[in-house]
Amino acid sequence: MGDYKIRQIFEHSFDDYSAQGHYLTDVQRKAAHAIINCKSGRLGFNLSQCTDCGHMEIHNNSCRNRNCPNCQAVQKEIWVDKRRAEVIDAPYFHVVFTLPHELNPLVYCNQQLLYGLLHRCCAGTLLELSADKKYLGAAPGIIQVLHTWNQELGYHVHMHCIVSGGGLTRDGKIRKSTGKFFIPVAVLRDKFKGKYMSLLSSLYESGSLAFSSSCEKLRNPYHWKEFKNSLYEKDWCPYIKETFNGFGNAIEYLGRYTHKIAVSNSRILSLTEDTVTFSARGKKPGEPKRQITLKNTEFIRHYLMHVLPSGFQKIRYYGFLNNRMKAQNLKVIFKLQNGQRFRQRYAGLTMAELLKAIWKFDICLCPECGHAAMKQLGRCYAPPS
């Protein structure tokens, strides 16, 4: 049985939230309706029957929206399995880049543009410094995942990067780092800050930025200059969150981040028709978990704040994992390293086989008589609303 607490919150209160006059983008509205309809039967269902005892099962269809808390588990497992075959013999590092919160209003009203800029600046920083022989002298493999939330569901824009501690040199050789991250954090910080601020200034000067009411005064060049100077004074502090010396551990670990959404059903502690209480980590390591209570409409506002623009790629690949050259680069690396360390486990499996392999759940097994005799009768589609 699924856990549909977040769906219940949207069912109870999305109409009230909409009636309050909040502006909703098409993609936010689509996400809300997908969550409400997921596994409800309104998207249709599949019928199966046991050929032995005649027992019938109804399986309601899922929405498959990337913002739905019930639709990420299978996609995450498939993604992790594909990446497993791309792991090389080298240490791996988890680096996190965070934007100063003073940028939040500007970023929020220029999401497509400034999220994309963050991706490019994180990758550019890592690749440029890695190319320097005093750090690595090679192009590592980089996987980047954008997140926009903190534990309270507040707006907190940051980038998770898994970086290989080994890569290809320009002349097609392998260079590997020791077990420690190869770029000093202060060097990483200064390069990242300079790169982001320079490109942000170019966007301002070209008239590419939009300004909402919360940052309207930045249209004025004088206020923009003041704002820019204040940002340069902030401590843009990237940090090394984790170091992996086991080849496969980094990819399994990254699976926690790739298909994660702002809050999961498992964190919802209680809900009523008006309020929801959810858990959050302590503000500092070692501190006990906290409980946060919000009105349902406020929870929905926070939740939808983290719906990314339509088509935006929150996961991107750089260095030797760049999509255009990945297959060729990996072929060279595996040849130099005497073979591939890991292979895909789930390639070519049907959904039924995948469920059985990962979660030991056999959809062919009849829950009544226990025989592997469940046969799908067909799909039924709900009438259009």
Side-chain angles (χ1 to χ4, degrees), residues 15 40 60 66 94 117 124 128 231 285:
D15 286 345
S40 67
N60 292 332
R66 67 175 173 176
H94 181 186
L117 181 63
E128 283 180 31
L231 287 173

Side-chain angles (χ1 to χ4, degrees), residues 84-121:
R84 185 177 287 112
E86 298 164 4
V87 172
I88 70 167
D89 181 357
Y92 278 79
F93 307 96
H94 181 186
V95 183
V96 181
F97 291 92
T98 303
L99 292 177
H101 71 268
E102 287 83 2
L103 271 167
N104 284 356
L106 187 65
V107 173
Y108 192 73
C109 62
N110 294 275
Q111 291 179 50
Q112 188 87 32
L113 194 60
L114 297 187
Y115 290 163
L117 181 63
L118 179 58
H119 260 304
R120 292 196 304 278
C121 289

Side-chain angles (χ1 to χ4, degrees), residues 41-45 380-385:
R42 290 184 285 267
L43 299 175
F45 51 90
C380 301
Y381 296 96
S385 56

